[in-house]
Amino acid sequence: MANIKSAKKRILVSEARAARNKSIRSAVKTSIKKVDAAVAAKDKEAAQKALTAAVSQIGKAAAKGVYHKNNAARKVSRLAKAVNSIA
């Protein structure tokens, strides 16, 4: 355990940030799974709605620095490609 006051604060702050990041990542993964489920069911309308929600969540995560912008762009691109593949 740290003895220095600033080190103690860093531990607390890093734990809080890690918890926030984990929550955001989990929400993004859940939204991606919803899109994938709609694509698997070949429900174009549900997939479009889920895609809109997922893109929003991924964008917010990237803006907060949880995901790198290229990582976020790749996720969005893959989801859009999957939704557009529904005939």
Side-chain angles (χ1 to χ4, degrees):
M1 184 63 198
N3 289 324
I4 297 165
K5 187 176 181 181
S6 61
K8 289 178 182 177
K9 180 179 178 182
R10 295 283 11 122
I11 290 168
L12 292 174
V13 170
S14 65
E15 284 175 354
R17 285 186 174 175
R20 188 176 303 119
N21 290 346
K22 187 174 182 179
S23 170
I24 292 168
R25 274 196 203 97
S26 177
V28 168
K29 286 180 187 177
T30 302
S31 64
I32 289 172
K33 285 178 190 172
K34 286 179 182 174
V35 174
D36 289 340
V39 169
K42 299 195 179 200
D43 186 350
K44 182 101 175 172
E45 191 175 317
Q48 286 284 4
K49 285 185 179 179
L51 176 66
T52 304
V55 168
S56 174
Q57 286 231 303
I58 293 168
K60 287 177 187 174
K64 291 176 182 173
V66 177
Y67 285 115
H68 188 276
K69 66 184 181 75
N70 291 357
N71 187 347
R74 185 177 67 242
K75 288 180 186 298
V76 169
S77 176
R78 287 178 179 171
L79 288 176
K81 187 176 178 183
V83 170
N84 290 336
S85 73
I86 300 172

